[in-house]
């Protein structure tokens, strides 16, 4: 069983994340999408909301499951028998940080990192930008799954 993780903050999950998750699910036996709980406090959505949205948008992918981790990702990987971390690379600006993380994670626990190039349709997409556009009334329907769009609207009209 070749098991990988797609880690992130997913605040909220975007079509760019989903593209990487879907492509990873075609290449690996099992994909665990993991939300890092360490920094959740500072986001728009709670940990539970992020997990629920991820579960909803990956429901049609039988070899994908959703989980959370606290502390070091490599400890989660060790505990779950995960052999590799899958990350999406959008641009050169992602590279330096991701390379550093990959090398550190290998050094810590010999967990490999596999990079997938972002789909050019989504390479400009990040959660923080989606929230900013939505906050100022911009149309984000093509950037996030429908269930996420609904919840985003709910958050913004409530605030
Ligand atoms: P962000 O807030 O930037 O969307 P996350 O921490 O939730 O970031 O991202 C988790 C992972 O998903 C990272 O490996 C990141 O490179 C990848 N990712 C995020 N957005 C995209 C995208 N639009 N296309 C491909 N990969 C992406």
């Amino acid at each position: 069983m070749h098991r990988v993780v797609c880690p992130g903050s997913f605040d909220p999950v975007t079509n760019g994340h989903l593209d990487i998750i879907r492509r990873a699910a075609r290449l690996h036996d099992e994909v665990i999408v993991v939300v890092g709980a360490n920094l959740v406090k500072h986001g728009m959505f709670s940990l539970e909301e992020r997990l629920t949205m991820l579960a909803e948008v990956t429901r049609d992918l039988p070899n994908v499951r959703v989980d959370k981790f606290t502390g070091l990702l490599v400890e989660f990987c060790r505990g779950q028998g995960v052999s590799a971390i899958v990350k999406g690379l959008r641009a050169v600006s992602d590279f330096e940080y991701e390379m550093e993380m990959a090398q550190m994670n290998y050094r810590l626990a010999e967990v490999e990192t596999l990079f997938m190039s972002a789909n050019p349709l989504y390479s400009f997409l990040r959660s923080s930008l989606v929230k900013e556009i939505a906050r100022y009334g911009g149309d984000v329907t093509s950037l996030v799954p429908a269930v996420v769009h609904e919840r985003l609207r709910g958050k913004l009209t409530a605030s």
Side-chain angles (χ1 to χ4, degrees):
M1 164 74 82
H2 177 57
R3 186 177 289 145
V4 299
V5 287
C6 286
S9 37
F10 303 105
D11 184 40
V13 57
T14 68
N15 287 341
H17 293 128
L18 200 50
D19 182 77
I20 295 288
I21 295 166
R22 285 185 179 282
R23 286 162 58 201
R26 285 202 287 269
L27 294 172
H28 306 285
D29 296 329
E30 189 181 13
V31 176
I32 316 176
V33 183
V34 282
V35 182
N38 299 348
L39 299 169
V40 157
K41 278 200 293 290
H42 307 291
M44 175 184 271
F45 292 95
S46 71
L47 179 61
E48 290 315 315
E49 289 173 315
R50 296 181 204 188
L51 292 168
T52 304
M53 286 187 278
L54 279 166
E56 284 171 1
V57 301
T58 57
R59 196 179 282 150
D60 63 319
L61 302 169
N63 62 335
V64 174
R65 66 183 166 92
V66 175
D67 207 341
K68 58 176 183 285
F69 74 98
T70 44
L72 292 177
L73 178 61
V74 290
E75 289 305 328
F76 177 91
C77 292
R78 245 202 279 254
Q80 299 276 327
V82 166
S83 47
I85 298 166
V86 173
K87 304 290 304 261
L89 279 186
R90 283 163 289 198
V92 182
S93 51
D94 280 344
F95 185 78
E96 206 168 333
Y97 172 76
E98 293 294 353
M99 188 72 171
E100 194 179 281
M101 287 300 293
Q103 289 171 338
M104 181 55 87
N105 285 333
Y106 188 80
R107 175 71 179 265
L108 287 172
E110 292 189 10
V111 176
E112 296 284 359
T113 299
L114 306 174
F115 293 114
M116 297 186 77
S117 54
N119 183 328
L121 283 175
Y122 305 123
S123 56
F124 58 91
L125 198 49
R126 58 187 157 84
S127 301
S128 50
L129 201 51
V130 168
K131 287 181 285 190
E132 196 174 325
I133 294 164
R135 208 170 266 136
Y136 294 111
D139 183 8
V140 295
T141 41
S142 62
L143 308 180
V144 292
V147 287
V148 174
H149 188 236
E150 274 307 300
R151 281 180 182 257
L152 207 44
R153 279 207 341 216
K155 277 275 173 205
L156 293 169
T157 49
S159 64

